[in-house]
């Protein structure tokens, strides 16, 4: 996609360039950072302390006039770009009409329209229904509620390296202690952890890894006690771990044979991010329930559980909901974001971006043996850094490379259980030239920190 085409899917017309006019962060951002320290709880961290005043296409412009290349999309949220035209148009119209009634009090079309779109887009051709919420964690928690109500069973199985949220239940489901769980227990019970397929570290085929996981589930939980398996088709915070082919289908087959609900957490991987509308589509896996958030609404808070109608209807009337769930403005934004994705062919665009990123990352890996693996799919790519010749994580080098990128005007994100993984999540509205320039800086960062 050329830079001139960016505005069609990317929001405000901003110069699509990396421009540094001060050090990062600049003086105006530093002033605001002091104000943040005075008024915002210290527990709310910041990866890159620049204060943004405009964004669109593939850039973020800060209060000092620096224009940064965005390779993070607000953690896979601004998939269609910031202030994408259809999102902005729909939001403005909805704000003019009304901002809130609470769908549980007096309903409105936007909520139903989003649910209809989700029924059409999520995997499978069975009858589906949805319920809308505010955040990914809420969606996951409600998926567990639905699975428990439908099956009459209590246990939940999640996987090593998983991230599912920051509520009490979803903290229990999340694998990583710091910063997500440390000091916040005790956590909800009846949550069990199975080994994830992690090809770099286990060397197993998908079938072998699935057999190992199922053996743990059988022995430590038992299918007769298990309400649901909750899994990210490609793990997010855990390190963009892509399971070996066959792993997800084998789990799905086992779940179906044992009256266990399969919940696909597509919160980070959904909505065209991986080159398909949903990551499950790659192997034709059809979950019973799908949780979505992040990329669904172009930056506004919206989340959903979508699933088999008979499962969704297992909950008593009034058992699902929330004051702001499916807020009309967020629903209007979601309909605009889906329009941008569909009309812009953003699933195909994600595949194009993925090909470009993989080529750059493969070339980097050939030059720097600290890169143990390049992995991902579509515009959800990652590299894992380890001590050369081993799988010992190297979070120090990871932090140094990321700091260099930030200082030179490229927003990069790290993740992984050991903090040694770079994840690349550019908005699908980014232009090719800007993407390549961003990866030029990433390459410079590896050279400068060798």
């Amino acid at each position: 996609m050329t830079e001139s085409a960016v505005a069609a899917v990317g929001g405000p017309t901003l110069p699509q360039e990396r421009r540094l006019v001060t050090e990062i962060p600049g003086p105006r951002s530093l002033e605001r950072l002091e104000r943040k320290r005075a008024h915002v709880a210290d527990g709310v961290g910041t990866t890159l302390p620049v204060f943004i005043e405009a964004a669109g296409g593939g850039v973020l412009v800060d209060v000092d006039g620096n224009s940064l290349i965005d390779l993070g999309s607000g953690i896979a949220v601004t998939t269609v770009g910031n202030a994408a035209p259809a999102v902005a148009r729909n939001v403005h119209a909805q704000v003019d009409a009304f901002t809130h009634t609470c769908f549980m009090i007096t309903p409105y079309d936007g909520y139903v329209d989003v649910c209809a779109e989700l029924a059409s887009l999520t995997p499978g051709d069975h009858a589906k229904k949805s319920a809308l919420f505010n955040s990914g964690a809420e969606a996951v928690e409600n998926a567990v509620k639905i699975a428990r109500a439908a099956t009459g069973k209590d246990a939940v199985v999640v996987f090593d390296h998983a991230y599912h949220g920051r509520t009490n239940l979803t903290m229990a489901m999340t694998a990583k202690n710091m910063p997500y769980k440390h000091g916040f227990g005790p956590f909800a019970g009846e949550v069990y952890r199975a080994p994830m397929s992690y090809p770099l570290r286990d060397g197993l085929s998908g079938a072998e890894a699935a057999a190992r996981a199922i053996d743990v589930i059988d022995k430590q939980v038992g299918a007769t006690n298990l309400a649901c398996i909750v899994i990210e088709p490609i793990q997010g915070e855990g390190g963009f771990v892509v399971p070996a082919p066959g792993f997800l289908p084998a789990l799905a087959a086992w779940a179906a044979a044992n009256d266990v609900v399969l919940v696909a957490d597509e919160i980070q991987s959904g909505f065209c991010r991986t080159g398909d509308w949903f990551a499950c589509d790659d192997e034709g896996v059809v979950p019973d329930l799908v949780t979505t958030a992040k990329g669904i609404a172009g930056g506004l808070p919206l989340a959903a559980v979508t699933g088999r109608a008979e499962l969704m209807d297992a909950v008593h009337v009034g058992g699902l909901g929330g004051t702001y769930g499916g807020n009309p403005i967020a629903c209007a934004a979601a309909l605009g974001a889906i329009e941008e994705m569909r009309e812009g062919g953003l699933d195909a665009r994600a595949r194009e971006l993925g090909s470009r990123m993989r080529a750059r990352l493969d070339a980097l890996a050939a030059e720097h043996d600290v890169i143990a693996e390049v992995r991902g799919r579509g515009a959800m790519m990652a590299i894992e850094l380890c001590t050369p010749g081993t799988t010992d994580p190297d979070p120090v080098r990871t932090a140094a490379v990321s700091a260099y990128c930030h200082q030179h005007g490229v927003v990069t994100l790290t993740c992984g259980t050991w903090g040694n993984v770079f994840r690349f999540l550019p908005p699908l509205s980014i232009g090719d030239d800007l993407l390549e320039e961003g990866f030029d800086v990433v390459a410079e960062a590896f050279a400068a920190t060798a």
Side-chain angles (χ1 to χ4, degrees):
M1 182 179 293
T2 63
E3 306 302 326
S4 61
V6 166
V9 293
T13 303
L14 296 172
Q16 295 299 296
E17 62 183 11
R18 180 171 61 109
R19 182 180 66 250
L20 299 181
V21 296
T22 71
E23 293 185 350
I24 304 293
R28 292 180 179 177
S29 282
L30 288 172
E31 290 173 2
R32 287 161 172 80
L33 187 61
E34 287 304 311
R35 188 164 178 263
K36 172 186 178 292
R37 289 188 180 117
H39 298 291
V40 179
D42 287 350
V44 181
T46 299
T47 298
L48 178 54
V50 295
F51 280 71
I52 300 304
E53 65 178 12
V59 298
L60 305 171
V61 180
D62 73 11
V63 293
D64 289 286
N66 299 298
S67 179
L68 314 178
I69 298 176
D70 182 10
L71 297 183
S73 298
I75 318 181
V77 170
T78 55
T79 299
V80 297
N82 263 288
V87 174
R89 180 193 68 224
N90 284 10
V91 166
H92 290 162
Q94 184 58 55
V95 169
D96 287 342
F98 61 95
T99 59
H100 178 74
T101 69
C102 185
F103 189 78
M104 298 182 300
I105 306 301
T106 53
Y108 37 87
D109 285 337
Y111 189 116
V112 181
D113 291 341
V114 170
C115 293
E117 288 282 18
L118 288 167
S120 172
L121 293 170
T122 51
D125 57 5
H126 50 276
K128 301 172 201 164
K129 292 188 176 183
S130 295
L132 304 184
F133 305 98
N134 302 291
S135 69
E138 283 185 63
V140 171
E141 187 142 343
N142 278 277
V144 172
K145 287 165 54 178
I146 292 163
R148 286 172 166 169
T151 63
K153 298 185 284 186
D154 297 327
V156 178
V157 162
V158 291
F159 290 83
D160 290 336
H161 313 290
Y163 177 86
H164 295 293
R166 296 176 184 259
T167 62
N168 188 264
L169 174 59
T170 56
M171 280 191 294
M173 297 169 69
T174 290
K176 191 173 182 178
N177 175 49
M178 183 63 78
Y180 306 117
K181 302 169 70 168
H182 183 73
F184 299 144
F187 303 115
E190 285 303 299
V191 175
Y192 301 87
R193 199 166 304 282
M196 180 64 177
S197 171
Y198 198 144
L200 174 67
R201 296 184 175 275
D202 62 30
L204 300 177
S205 69
E208 292 167 338
R212 179 184 61 174
I214 290 167
D215 185 59
V216 169
I217 294 167
D218 274 331
K219 289 182 171 59
Q220 297 187 16
V221 186
T224 57
N225 303 309
L226 183 57
C228 59
I229 292 172
V230 183
I231 188 166
E232 301 158 274
I234 298 176
Q235 290 186 321
E237 300 293 323
F240 279 30
V241 179
V242 182
F247 181 74
L248 291 174
L251 288 180
W254 183 88
N258 287 276
D259 189 31
V260 172
V261 176
L262 180 68
V263 182
D265 180 341
E266 291 262 15
I267 288 163
Q268 193 159 161
S269 59
F271 294 102
C272 297
R273 174 55 59 182
T274 64
D276 292 298
W277 275 86
F278 294 92
C280 280
D281 294 332
D282 184 68
E283 292 189 271
V285 172
V286 179
D288 299 304
L289 301 176
V290 179
T291 61
T292 52
K294 290 193 182 292
I296 190 175
L300 274 74
L302 187 68
V305 182
T306 303
R308 297 184 184 279
E310 65 274 17
L311 295 177
M312 297 296 297
D313 286 343
V315 178
H316 54 275
V317 174
L320 301 176
T323 301
Y324 297 103
N327 170 270
I329 301 169
C331 288
L335 295 170
I338 291 169
E339 177 185 333
E340 295 275 354
M341 292 178 206
R342 184 180 282 124
E343 295 189 2
L346 295 192
D347 51 345
R349 178 59 181 158
R351 293 192 293 272
E352 293 172 3
L353 291 171
S355 295
R356 286 182 174 273
M357 288 192 287
R358 184 172 287 277
R360 295 300 301 266
L361 294 173
D362 283 342
L364 267 179
E367 296 177 13
H368 300 278
D369 55 3
V370 70
I371 299 175
E373 185 177 41
V374 177
R375 59 178 180 253
R377 196 182 302 145
M380 186 175 182
M381 297 296 298
I383 48 176
E384 180 162 354
L385 276 60
C386 296
T387 302
T390 76
T391 55
D392 297 336
D394 191 347
V396 174
R397 181 74 180 280
T398 306
V401 173
S402 189
Y404 182 100
C405 291
H406 293 172
Q407 292 160 8
H408 291 80
V410 177
V411 179
T412 53
L413 305 177
T414 59
C415 63
T417 297
W418 301 279
N420 68 320
V421 177
F422 276 95
R423 54 177 159 176
F424 298 102
L425 293 161
L428 304 187
S429 57
I430 195 170
D432 293 342
D433 293 346
L434 198 64
L435 182 79
E436 295 291 349
E437 184 178 353
F439 278 90
D440 288 344
V441 174
V442 173
E444 291 171 9
F446 273 93
T449 58

